[in-house]
Amino acid sequence: MNEQQQGTQPGSTPSSGYAGWAPPTPPAAATPSPATPTPTPTPEHAPPVLEGTVVGPTYVEDHSGAGWGTPPPPPAGPAHAGGPGGHARRGMLRGRLALVTAVAAVAAVLGGVTGGAIAAQERGGSVANTATVAAPVAARSDGSADVAAIAAAVSPSVVQITVKTASGTATGTGVVLNTDGQILTNYHVISGAAGGGTATVTFKDGSTANATVTGTDKSLDIAVITASGVRNLTPATLGDSGAVAVGDAVVAIGNPEGLTGTVTSGIISAKNRPVTVQVDEGTTRGNGGFGFPNLPGQRGSAATGGDTASYQAFQTDAALNPGNSGGPLINTAGQVIGINSAMYSATGSSSTADSSTAGSVGLGFAIPINDVKQVLPKLQAGQNV
């Protein structure tokens, strides 16, 4: 039954419309009274629209129940008199409100997606390619290193580097920097590859990849190489070597004598130890590419001829042997605070010492990671400094 067919009983409330509404009166035989025209809504009565949002008499939509809240009836007055105009106006308002609600819902969804993308980018990756960084490790309650936890967290970020030249083969260690295949190591480990040899990287899972030299700093004995065609690598976390104290527990991971994934532990036994070490392949080839330092007060010289590097090193009693070069020295939080680079030679006379005169005697040396960070961006960008 439409509106024109609905009526009211005397004294009753109209069954349709709102207060003050009455159905049209049929014409009488006498001269009809002038009908009050239904005014057409004018612009000044229409609610303004700002950027798609209806601004006007407001009400709260209740989404907690089974449906939407019912808007209050419009105020009585000429602009809201009964008839098709009033109902059309309410229909228009409901339509605009529905449109605004739909736009808000779409904006909320798009905002959530955009926010997720921005958050992913702020974490250092894209939405489609995010890096898995070596997990942080907690020290034991007594402050000692949880060696097993450190090894599990950081070992996926440690690789073996093999360099072949016309003169032979040398083996060292490297630390994964990013998912693009960039790896930090000692310059003396890859000096043969920089001079025309070939470098191969072996990952923890046993897979291998060819690598090229990206950037070098011979004076600090560090270099960055890039493994080809790799993905889903686990970068190590670089810590703050400035916060390291003598007596702090540390862990070393490397490939001594080709024994891959070897883990040793100890403490920082001294800081700022001046070290000068040979870095050219010709003088380090005989000891697996490991550096023997020229230490203050040492008889003879382990750095006689060839290229050398000098730095203020961490000294550690964590066992280091040929093949550990370029590997990480790690704090109790699982962060790399140094790059293992040299060890003491018992004779102190030659960097070609054999196994009877060279090996871990509790005097290993590492380049502080803060020194490395100062030049690392340039090396990663392909520069030699």
Side-chain angles (χ1 to χ4, degrees):
M1 181 167 57
N2 58 36
E3 293 178 358
Q4 298 298 325
Q5 295 172 325
Q6 293 174 351
T8 58
Q9 298 296 328
S12 63
T13 302
S15 59
S16 174
Y18 43 81
W21 180 89
T25 304
T31 302
S33 300
T36 302
T38 302
T40 302
T42 58
E44 61 267 24
H45 293 93
V49 178
L50 302 177
E51 299 295 335
T53 302
V54 177
V55 180
T58 59
Y59 64 95
V60 178
E61 295 172 346
D62 182 8
H63 298 275
S64 62
W68 296 78
T70 302
H80 299 279
H87 288 282
R89 184 174 192 78
R90 284 186 292 165
M92 180 179 66
L93 286 174
R94 289 196 182 106
R96 289 180 177 176
L97 289 171
L99 175 61
V100 171
T101 302
V103 170
V106 172
V109 172
L110 293 177
V113 173
T114 304
I118 293 173
Q121 292 173 353
E122 288 177 348
R123 289 193 297 269
S126 66
V127 176
N129 183 23
T130 56
T132 300
V133 181
V137 179
R140 292 194 174 98
S141 57
D142 60 359
S144 62
D146 188 340
V147 178
I150 293 172
V154 185
S155 288
S157 305
V158 180
V159 303
Q160 177 176 295
I161 300 172
T162 303
V163 177
K164 293 183 179 181
T165 66
S167 303
T169 300
T171 302
T173 304
V175 179
V176 175
L177 292 173
N178 54 39
T179 57
D180 296 329
Q182 291 191 328
I183 295 166
L184 175 64
T185 188
N186 283 138
Y187 172 81
H188 74 253
V189 170
I190 54 84
S191 60
T198 60
T200 303
V201 175
T202 303
F203 299 95
K204 187 177 185 297
D205 62 2
S207 62
T208 61
N210 294 328
T212 55
V213 178
T214 302
T216 63
D217 184 354
K218 188 183 299 184
S219 65
L220 190 57
D221 192 19
I222 59 171
V224 171
I225 63 174
T226 301
S228 304
V230 297
R231 60 180 182 176
N232 299 327
L233 301 183
T234 302
T237 300
L238 306 185
D240 178 12
S241 57
V244 176
V246 173
D248 283 354
V250 289
V251 171
I253 302 178
N255 307 287
E257 306 293 354
L259 301 174
T260 59
T262 297
V263 178
T264 57
S265 63
I267 63 168
I268 296 292
S269 54
K271 294 173 59 177
N272 301 318
R273 188 72 76 193
V275 168
T276 299
V277 65
Q278 292 169 299
V279 296
D280 59 290
E281 189 269 341
T283 55
T284 60
R285 181 176 59 250
N287 54 48
F290 206 74
F292 292 102
N294 179 20
L295 301 175
Q298 183 179 5
R299 290 178 298 175
S301 173
T304 55
D307 296 322
T308 62
S310 298
Y311 45 86
Q312 301 293 312
F314 285 136
Q315 178 180 304
T316 179
D317 65 353
L320 301 179
N321 290 281
N324 273 109
S325 271
L329 189 65
I330 309 161
N331 64 14
T332 56
Q335 301 169 335
V336 178
I337 49 89
I339 298 298
N340 299 320
S341 55
M343 67 180 183
Y344 173 75
S345 170
T347 62
S349 60
S350 173
S351 64
T352 59
D354 59 26
S355 59
S356 64
T357 57
S360 178
V361 292
L363 291 174
F365 303 94
I367 305 168
I369 200 65
N370 285 6
D371 294 347
V372 175
K373 287 179 181 179
Q374 292 180 11
V375 296
L376 186 57
K378 293 182 180 180
L379 306 189
Q380 291 183 277
Q383 298 181 37
N384 296 324
V385 298

